[in-house]
Amino acid sequence: MPTGGLLLVIAGLFAAGTVVTWLAVTHLVHASGLAGTSGHLEVEACTWSRSGGHRYPHCHGVFRSDDGTVVDPGATIDSHLSVGSTVGLRRTASGGYERTGAGALFGWLAVSLLGLAVLVLGAAAAGVLAGARGSPRKLMLLLAGLLAAMLASALAGGVAGIAGAF
């Protein structure tokens, strides 16, 4: 690949890694309980919408904050939940809702690690382009560690999500 094309790939890796990491971390802080208003959604109904050949769930109900200061009778979350169930959520500053618990926490952690891995891959490619000798090897070891942690986190999130479904 010519140098100009490689520069474009490196720029794309940095851009994608930055966006994925930023989005995942914003969700991660809510899933972990570090941001937002803690409360519960009493699921009253769920509907499905279609877009691009896929079906997407939307569950509606009443959100009540744990401290009783926020009540939202029109709360909606884009997750498939059981009608009549009560689930823990965090209300974001924008008025949206995020799932909490181990499944959501490990899931968003896995996506955050994926974003970091893409950033490290971009740094390694930049190192190769610059002619660095030792740096790309260290970055590849870091990349392997990030990917291993990402897979472990995704597995933990999957197990927690399945266990929470019962």
Side-chain angles (χ1 to χ4, degrees), residues 5-6 15 17 30-31 58 65-66 71 73 78 84 107 111 113-115 133 146 158:
L6 187 55
H30 287 95
H58 311 283
S65 64
D66 291 340
V71 177
D78 295 337
V111 178
L113 292 169
L114 173 65
R133 293 185 178 243
L146 284 170

Side-chain angles (χ1 to χ4, degrees), residues 47-58:
T47 58
W48 294 83
S49 64
R50 288 189 173 272
S51 178
H54 298 284
R55 291 177 31 159
Y56 298 97
H58 311 283

Side-chain angles (χ1 to χ4, degrees), residues 51-163:
S51 178
H54 298 284
R55 291 177 31 159
Y56 298 97
H58 311 283
C59 288
H60 318 276
V62 178
F63 173 83
R64 287 184 175 80
S65 64
D66 291 340
D67 63 7
T69 60
V70 178
V71 177
D72 181 1
T76 301
I77 187 165
D78 295 337
S79 292
H80 180 62
L81 304 168
S82 298
V83 174
S85 66
T86 300
V87 294
L89 298 178
R90 298 291 285 191
R91 187 168 197 233
T92 66
S94 64
Y97 295 92
E98 289 284 337
R99 296 282 304 262
T100 59
L105 178 72
F106 283 115
W108 286 116
L109 178 60
V111 178
S112 299
L113 292 169
L114 173 65
L116 291 174
V118 172
L119 285 170
V120 169
L121 184 61
V128 168
L129 183 63
R133 293 185 178 243
S135 175
R137 183 171 194 273
K138 292 176 185 175
L139 287 174
M140 295 314 277
L141 289 173
L142 176 59
L143 178 64
L146 284 170
L147 291 174
M150 179 199 70
L151 289 173
S153 182
L155 177 64
V159 169
I162 290 171

Side-chain angles (χ1 to χ4, degrees), residues 5 14 19-20 24 48 50 114 158 166:
F14 279 120
V19 169
V20 169
W48 294 83
R50 288 189 173 272
L114 173 65
F166 296 109

